[in-house]
């Protein structure tokens, strides 16, 4: 699955936060202090065992996510970059606005980071408080201004459908993003995940979930304003200025292999094998730390995807992208009969203007189809 001389992407999961956002169900621990030395050693040890360090070529992407990687000392970020020998195409670190300072920005730049992904979510202070964010809208603008002289590739996260949000407040946030003009914007509808604190608050009647029609209207506004602002929607939730798509996220949607390091991180071999590190920091450090037992099978689970699971995953990932599903690839992997059945199921959405078959080759969601993408994609399974 490697393209030319590019190697698979690497994701490093930092399971540390000052406090957990109410909507989050990722593996993270609200910890006041972290043994950064032990964590860095563990990740380096896992990398040396799992990655072919002798393979030549450019690492497609190195992505530090979480959790909150921006809590880490710059020395840890530098060590993880030096762990990867040779050139890296895209090196991203996720940051929170309250962690950004001139000192941190300088340290990230000197460590080799060339892309920042900052979790802003909203520029409305009351909306931020309702979902447990620690920063204000002004903090986000200040952090962006600090980052700008150091990085020419910045992505901002935005959320819509937040408790108490309305069209006017969302429009103000979008306008604020357009004024800052980052190279990339990731925009997500708020999800009430089963294990999140926000879901418990909703179920207890302490907050209200916005009606679905309100979220759809917000998504329409978002698409319209970002398109008018010069951004391309290249994936259902991701927008970029020309030539500034996220390479790391695109790896996932295109089915390229990637390796996940750290507790809770997932990996994929590009064929049919997935694995994940169990979400247990204590056990991870015991196995991979300096005095570790070196029994990786005790902290990692594997699964082999069935043909049906691979087929569904191909539909789910490719139809999210602007370029859509290559029907020739689909037929090559699953057979002409399956392709004909797929197109039969798609016909009603094509007739309704929600799917489009371009040149009898590319099956793509239209702008109207994007609004009900979950329904369309699941019906094609």
């Amino acid at each position: 699955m490697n393209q030319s001389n590019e190697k698979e992407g690497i994701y490093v999961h930092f399971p540390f936060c000052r406090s957990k956002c109410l909507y989050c169900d990722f593996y993270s621990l609200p910890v006041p202090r972290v043994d950064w030395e032990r964590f860095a050693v563990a990740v380096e040890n896992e990398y040396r065992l799992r990655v072919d360090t002798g393979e030549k070529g450019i690492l497609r992407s190195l992505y530090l996510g979480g959790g909150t990687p921006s809590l880490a000392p710059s020395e840890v970020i530098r060590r993880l970059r030096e762990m990867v020998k040779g050139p890296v195409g895209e090196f991203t670190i996720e940051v929170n606005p309250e962690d950004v300072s001139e000192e941190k920005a300088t340290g990230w730049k000197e460590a080799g980071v060339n892309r920042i992904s900052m979790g802003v979510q909203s520029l409305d202070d009351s909306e931020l408080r309702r979902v447990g964010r620690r920063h204000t809208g002004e903090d986000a603008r200040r952090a962006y201004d600090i980052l700008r002289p150091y990085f020419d590739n910045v992505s901002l996260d935005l959320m819509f459908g937040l408790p108490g949000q309305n069209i006017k407040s969302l429009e103000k946030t979008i306008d604020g993003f357009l004024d800052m003009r980052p190279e990339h914007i990731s925009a997500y509808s708020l999800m009430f995940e089963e294990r999140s604190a926000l879901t418990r608050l909703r179920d207890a009647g302490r907050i209200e979930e916005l009606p679905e029609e309100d979220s759809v209207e917000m998504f329409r506004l978002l698409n319209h304003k970002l398109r008018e602002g010069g951004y391309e929607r290249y994936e259902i939730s991701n927008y970029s200025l020309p030539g500034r798509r996220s390479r790391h996220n695109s790896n996932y949607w295109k089915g390229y292999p990637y390796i996940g390091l750290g507790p809770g991180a997932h990996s994929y071999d590009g064929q049919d094998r997935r694995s994940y590190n169990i979400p247990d920091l204590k056990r991870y450090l015991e196995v991979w730390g300096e005095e570790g037992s070196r029994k990786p099978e005790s902290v990692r689970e594997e699964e082999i995807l069935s043909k049906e699971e691979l087929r569904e995953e191909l539909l789910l990932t490719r139809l999210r992208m602007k370029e859509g599903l290559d029907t020739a690839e689909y037929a090559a992997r699953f057979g002409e009969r399956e392709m004909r059945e797929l197109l039969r199921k798609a016909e009603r959405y094509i007739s309704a203007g929600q799917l489009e078959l371009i040149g009898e080759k590319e099956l793509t969601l239209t702008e109207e189809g994007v609004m009900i993408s979950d329904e369309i994609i699941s019906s094609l399974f």
Side-chain angles (χ1 to χ4, degrees):
M1 296 294 293
N2 282 0
Q3 303 297 300
S4 65
N5 69 334
E6 289 189 333
K7 298 187 289 184
E8 64 269 90
I10 292 178
Y11 172 85
V12 182
H13 186 66
F14 283 66
F16 312 110
C17 290
R18 285 197 176 93
S19 61
K20 204 172 180 72
C21 298
L22 298 183
Y23 53 78
C24 180
D25 74 337
F26 292 153
Y27 176 61
S28 63
L29 304 168
V31 290
R33 291 166 54 182
V34 179
D35 187 341
W36 290 111
E37 172 65 20
R38 194 176 181 205
F39 178 74
V41 167
V43 172
E44 290 167 341
N45 286 339
E46 186 187 7
Y47 173 84
R48 279 192 285 269
L49 183 73
R50 296 187 56 203
V51 178
D52 181 3
T53 55
E55 183 184 352
K56 302 296 183 182
I58 299 172
L59 186 71
R60 187 178 293 120
S61 66
L62 173 61
Y63 193 101
L64 310 185
T68 315
S70 53
L71 290 176
S74 297
E75 170 64 15
V76 171
I77 308 304
R78 182 189 63 78
R79 283 179 61 169
L80 297 184
R81 171 60 184 92
E82 291 178 352
M83 163 186 87
V84 178
K85 308 301 181 186
V88 175
E90 179 184 88
F91 181 12
T92 303
I93 180 173
E94 290 183 352
V95 310
N96 280 345
E98 64 269 23
D99 297 327
V100 175
S101 65
E102 291 284 350
E103 182 182 6
K104 282 283 185 77
T106 301
W108 297 330
K109 183 71 172 180
E110 291 176 348
V113 172
N114 57 22
R115 185 175 182 270
I116 298 288
S117 177
M118 186 161 69
V120 174
Q121 318 311 352
S122 172
L123 295 175
D124 183 292
D125 292 352
S126 63
E127 292 171 3
L128 292 167
R129 285 194 298 270
R130 290 190 195 104
V131 292
R133 298 294 290 179
R134 295 172 60 90
H135 67 274
T136 65
E138 186 55 37
D139 291 336
R141 292 184 178 90
R142 176 197 58 80
Y144 185 83
D145 289 342
I146 290 173
L147 292 168
R148 236 1 181 169
Y150 297 92
F151 301 98
D152 66 357
N153 196 358
V154 176
S155 177
L156 302 181
D157 286 356
L158 180 152
M159 296 186 79
F160 60 95
L162 298 171
Q165 192 175 51
N166 56 50
I167 284 290
K168 287 186 177 180
S169 67
L170 174 62
E171 187 166 21
K172 287 182 180 179
T173 288
I174 298 171
D175 287 341
F177 274 47
L178 290 172
D179 286 343
M180 289 186 278
R181 200 157 181 81
E183 284 69 33
H184 188 278
I185 296 172
S186 294
Y188 304 102
S189 176
L190 176 67
M191 301 296 291
F192 284 80
E193 304 291 354
E194 183 179 352
R195 297 173 297 174
S196 73
L198 197 66
T199 298
R200 293 194 293 273
L201 290 173
R202 180 200 63 186
D203 294 346
R206 294 176 60 186
I207 63 166
E208 289 188 13
E209 184 174 355
L210 288 187
E212 183 178 358
E213 56 268 27
D214 289 1
S215 290
V216 170
E217 185 180 359
M218 289 178 176
F219 192 34
R220 289 186 189 278
L221 173 70
L222 183 71
N223 278 314
H224 171 72
K225 290 190 73 71
L226 293 187
R227 183 172 60 248
E228 291 295 306
Y231 288 84
E232 166 199 37
R233 184 182 57 75
Y234 69 95
E235 190 271 344
I236 286 177
S237 300
N238 286 270
Y239 307 77
S240 74
L241 295 176
R244 293 308 187 109
R245 295 185 180 190
S246 165
R247 298 185 72 189
H248 178 81
N249 291 339
S250 295
N251 291 346
Y252 296 149
W253 303 316
K254 293 178 180 178
Y256 294 165
Y258 54 87
I259 294 174
L261 308 175
H266 288 242
S267 304
Y268 176 53
D269 72 351
Q271 301 297 323
D272 62 357
R273 187 183 302 272
R274 290 199 177 279
S275 64
Y276 67 92
N277 292 340
I278 63 173
D280 186 329
L281 176 64
K282 181 175 182 292
R283 185 67 184 135
Y284 179 82
L285 294 178
E286 287 173 351
V287 169
W288 293 112
E290 199 162 6
E291 303 300 324
S293 61
R294 301 296 191 273
K295 292 181 179 178
E297 67 277 4
S298 69
V299 291
R300 193 161 77 247
E301 300 286 342
E302 276 194 357
E303 65 172 330
I304 303 297
L305 300 176
S306 67
K307 184 176 180 179
E308 185 62 20
E309 287 171 328
L310 289 169
R311 189 180 71 82
E312 292 181 0
E313 186 164 289
L314 185 71
L315 289 171
L316 183 63
T317 54
R318 300 301 196 277
L319 285 176
R320 290 187 65 89
M321 299 194 70
K322 178 182 178 182
E323 289 76 14
L325 174 72
D326 184 335
T327 57
E329 178 190 3
Y330 189 87
R333 293 182 63 177
F334 306 108
E336 291 288 338
R337 181 177 177 180
E338 284 285 354
M339 187 190 74
R340 289 194 296 272
E341 177 64 13
L342 171 68
L343 294 179
R344 184 192 67 78
K345 291 179 179 178
E347 182 54 44
R348 67 186 177 110
Y349 296 108
I350 294 173
S351 298
Q354 295 158 337
L355 278 174
E356 185 177 11
L357 186 59
I358 303 173
E360 299 298 317
K361 182 181 179 183
E362 294 175 354
L363 186 66
T364 66
L365 289 165
T366 65
E367 284 297 315
E368 284 303 309
V370 166
M371 301 298 160
I372 56 168
S373 59
D374 288 346
E375 173 193 325
I376 294 173
I377 293 171
S378 62
S379 74
L380 299 178
F381 284 172

